Amino acid sequence: LQQVTRRPQGAEEQNNPLAALVDPAKLERDYVLHDAGNKDGLNWLDVSPRKTSDTGFRSARLGFGSQGLQTMQVVDALGQKTRIDFSGWKRNPAFTSGTFKFVPAKGVDIVGEG
């Protein structure tokens, strides 16, 4: 399927492993953390929610390199796997209004609100 789901940001997006990194108190309170060792030049951290009903994911692996977070691998509540690679990190950059706009590729079905 070539689909995009459009909906307002909800609790699922606010309760993801990346959001938890922004608030260390939340990370320790809401997630179980395990050092997963070093592989492929990255230090890995396994993250799982203490209450799976509060999140949209089952588990995550965060890979940290010399520049910080490089890779996030997430297994969602349905068992689907997503990998996101990060590069060019800048801490607290300023963005103008309209900086981010998602335009689905031609022929992709848009499902949901909006």
Side-chain angles (χ1 to χ4, degrees):
L1 293 174
Q2 293 187 20
Q3 292 183 331
V4 171
T5 302
R6 181 183 296 169
R7 63 186 169 100
Q9 182 174 340
E12 295 84 12
E13 291 82 20
Q14 295 173 12
N15 292 322
N16 70 59
L18 189 56
L21 291 177
V22 174
D23 183 356
K26 179 181 177 119
L27 183 64
E28 293 177 8
R29 180 188 70 227
D30 296 344
Y31 301 93
V32 177
L33 310 173
H34 294 285
D35 183 340
N38 188 298
K39 184 178 179 187
D40 300 326
L42 298 176
N43 294 310
W44 291 92
L45 178 66
D46 286 341
V47 179
S48 57
R50 293 188 188 277
K51 297 179 185 175
T52 55
S53 61
D54 293 344
T55 65
F57 75 100
R58 270 192 225 163
S59 64
R61 295 194 68 162
L62 306 175
F64 295 89
S66 61
Q67 301 297 313
L69 181 63
Q70 248 179 268
T71 301
M72 180 171 71
Q73 302 169 352
V74 180
V75 178
D76 71 15
L78 300 174
Q80 298 178 88
K81 297 177 184 177
T82 301
R83 176 186 168 133
I84 302 170
D85 294 321
F86 301 94
S87 63
W89 276 98
K90 293 181 182 176
R91 185 174 288 273
N92 298 323
F95 295 105
T96 60
S97 178
T99 297
F100 298 101
K101 182 176 181 173
F102 177 72
V103 179
K106 196 173 203 174
V108 173
D109 293 327
I110 300 172
V111 179
E113 303 172 19

